[in-house]
Amino acid sequence: MELHTAKVKIGNKFNIDEDGIMTVNACILKTGVFPYLESEFIEGATNEQVPVFIPEEEFTQAALESGEGRDVIVGDHIWRTAENSMHDGHTVGSIAGVLHSENGKIFCKLRIDDKDTVDKVLAKELVEISAGYRADFQQEDGIYNGTPYKYRQGNIVFNHVLLLPVGEGRCGSDVKVINKKQIHKKYLLILLS
């Protein structure tokens, strides 16, 4: 009889505790040029789509700290206040701990307290993320990585993050819940006779 060992893939970055609460890593925003309706940031403007630049240098310590503990929601971008946060049925968790910026992206952990939402994240029905935040929009013609833009964001202050189905996030498919399987240094014993 021969005894062999092999590395195997086990687990993932989802952490569901014995109470059913999920903690998961997420990318919630990234630098780049993204489409906005002008009416989203200029009162009375038309619904013309314009390119807006989100620069990495705006991922300041103050911006990152503004996201700590903010609501994780489902449904629509509904601005979170003390009046609606725990009463309108959209809040399913919160940002857990400290946000950090790396390679032009903002990362954090999300704590999901709602069983239905945990199930939808596990089933990959809710994958992408759209961050809700205040920002200044300055008119500025420029080019970032070959993409022209007409406005630039600054002074970001987070309010919430919204969980979305695949393809619905403004910033693309890599602004999402992160679930990459890891190869762990645990071994599976294989007995061959």
Side-chain angles (χ1 to χ4, degrees):
M1 181 183 299
E2 293 180 50
L3 180 65
H4 293 273
T5 62
K7 286 185 181 179
V8 294
K9 291 181 180 180
I10 59 170
N12 56 39
K13 292 194 177 200
F14 291 147
N15 177 14
I16 301 174
D17 69 17
E18 55 199 39
D19 298 318
I21 295 170
M22 173 187 278
T23 304
V24 64
N25 294 320
C27 174
I28 63 168
L29 190 62
K30 71 177 182 182
T31 192
V33 178
F34 306 103
Y36 281 75
L37 298 178
E38 211 167 27
S39 60
E40 289 183 82
F41 57 90
I42 298 175
E43 192 172 325
T46 66
N47 282 335
E48 178 187 355
Q49 197 173 71
V50 294
V52 176
F53 177 42
I54 303 173
E56 183 176 6
E57 57 264 23
E58 291 300 328
F59 299 167
T60 64
Q61 189 62 35
L64 298 174
E65 288 174 3
S66 76
E68 293 177 16
R70 293 298 184 161
D71 287 350
V72 174
I73 65 172
V74 295
D76 295 313
H77 270 300
I78 297 175
W79 201 254
R80 311 318 290 156
T81 66
E83 287 81 28
N84 68 11
S85 179
M86 301 309 290
H87 305 289
D88 65 3
H90 291 283
T91 301
V92 296
S94 61
I95 293 177
V98 179
L99 289 76
H100 70 280
S101 175
E102 181 180 323
N103 298 322
K105 295 180 178 179
I106 295 178
F107 297 93
C108 65
K109 289 188 181 292
L110 304 180
R111 175 190 159 112
I112 311 296
D113 301 320
D114 175 69
K115 181 182 182 337
D116 184 51
T117 304
V118 168
D119 292 343
K120 287 179 178 177
V121 170
L122 289 172
K124 298 182 180 175
E125 293 175 33
L126 293 174
V127 177
E128 293 185 16
I129 291 176
S130 180
Y133 55 90
R134 289 181 187 89
D136 296 332
F137 285 74
Q138 178 181 348
Q139 193 164 13
E140 174 184 297
D141 289 324
I143 297 176
Y144 174 77
N145 283 350
T147 304
Y149 61 88
K150 294 191 175 292
Y151 291 90
R152 174 189 180 99
Q153 285 187 6
N155 300 317
I156 293 169
V157 178
F158 286 99
N159 178 265
H160 64 271
V161 294
L162 172 67
L163 296 173
L164 295 164
V166 171
E168 292 190 19
R170 184 192 321 257
C171 292
S173 62
D174 56 341
V175 177
K176 64 178 185 171
V177 170
I178 299 170
N179 177 29
K180 292 183 181 173
K181 295 197 175 199
Q182 304 296 306
I183 294 180
H184 295 272
K185 291 187 178 182
K186 294 201 175 179
Y187 294 93
L188 174 67
L189 295 177
I190 302 171
L191 296 174
L192 299 175
S193 52

